[in-house]
């Protein structure tokens, strides 16, 4: 499916006075993912921090892996994909790559796709761009994210504190 180019937004929202930050950068030329998180707080273990789709797209993969849940979103026409890992819960239908090419689940920009991992609160985030020579390749997300919009802060009493269900059909939790 062809999706129209659109502005991106951060996958994590501001939490009170804490802005999402990049506490650790691990990677290589082929694995340029970043860990997004927050300065630690005594209340972190009680929070359910929503992870948002940076752009609208179709779910290319949604799996339960050794480090939590992982979701990959195809943002259309072989241009860009985003990958979210270390999730404690996901709200999309589980699927493996290529098993549903004609029936992919659509997500809107800003839609909550899961909850960030706890202890510490964080999310593994990767940005992949299409390269005609080698297919999708990891891109350095940090310079790109400098221009992205900030997700609005969750309202007190929302799923941030309750951990309430948001997805029904695709909801899965890491136990």
């Amino acid at each position: 499916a062809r999706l129209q180019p659109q502005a991106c937004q951060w996958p994590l929202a501001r939490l009170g006075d804490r802005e999402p930050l990049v506490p650790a950068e691990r990677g290589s030329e082929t694995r340029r993912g970043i860990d997004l998180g927050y300065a630690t707080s005594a209340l972190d273990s009680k929070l359910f921090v929503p992870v948002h789709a940076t752009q609208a797209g179709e779910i290319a993969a949604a799996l339960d892996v050794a480090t939590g849940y992982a979701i990959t979103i195809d943002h259309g026409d072989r241009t860009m994909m985003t990958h979210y890992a270390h999730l404690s819960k996901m709200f999309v239908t589980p699927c493996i790559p290529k098993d549903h090419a004609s029936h992919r689940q659509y997500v809107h920009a800003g839609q909550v796709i899961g909850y960030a991992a706890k202890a510490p609160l964080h999310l593994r985030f990767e940005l992949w761009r299409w390269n005609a020579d080698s297919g999708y390749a990891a891109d350095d997300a940090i310079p790109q994210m400098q221009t992205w919009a900030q997700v609005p802060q969750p309202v007190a009493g929302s799923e941030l504190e309750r951990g309430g269900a948001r997805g029904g059909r695709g909801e899965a939790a890491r136990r």
Side-chain angles (χ1 to χ4, degrees):
R2 181 157 174 75
L3 302 172
Q4 297 301 315
Q6 56 195 306
C8 291
Q9 63 185 26
W10 275 65
L12 295 176
R14 187 169 186 249
L15 294 179
D17 62 349
R18 297 189 295 167
E19 298 284 340
L21 50 88
V22 182
E25 186 175 353
R26 292 179 287 169
S28 65
E29 278 303 306
T30 58
R31 190 99 170 136
R32 291 188 171 179
I34 56 174
D35 287 329
L36 299 175
Y38 301 92
T40 57
S41 166
L43 297 175
D44 285 352
S45 66
K46 298 183 185 330
L47 298 179
F48 295 89
V49 178
V51 174
H52 304 266
T54 60
Q55 277 191 339
E58 296 174 339
I59 301 299
L63 306 163
D64 183 357
V65 296
T67 58
Y69 291 97
I71 300 171
T72 302
I73 301 175
D74 181 350
H75 299 288
D77 199 29
R78 286 193 160 183
T79 55
M80 182 176 85
M81 292 178 107
T82 49
H83 181 72
Y84 312 77
H86 300 189
L87 302 174
S88 63
K89 195 169 190 176
M90 72 176 176
F91 301 117
V92 298
T93 303
C95 62
I96 57 173
K98 299 182 183 178
D99 75 343
H100 64 298
S102 63
H103 250 64
R104 288 180 161 185
Q105 180 182 354
Y106 181 82
V107 293
H108 299 278
Q111 181 175 334
V112 176
I113 58 172
Y115 288 148
K118 296 184 177 198
L121 287 175
H122 75 284
L123 161 73
R124 179 73 175 172
F125 180 76
E126 297 178 14
L127 175 64
W128 302 338
R129 295 221 182 258
W130 179 256
N131 176 319
D133 295 330
S134 59
Y136 283 102
D139 198 6
D140 186 359
I142 294 172
Q144 312 276 336
M145 294 173 75
Q146 301 302 317
T147 62
W148 292 6
Q150 189 71 43
V151 175
Q153 182 170 320
V155 178
S158 68
E159 79 266 359
L160 181 69
E161 295 167 343
R162 290 191 317 265
R166 297 215 12 124
R169 188 173 158 215
E171 185 178 327
R174 171 68 79 191
R175 289 179 175 71

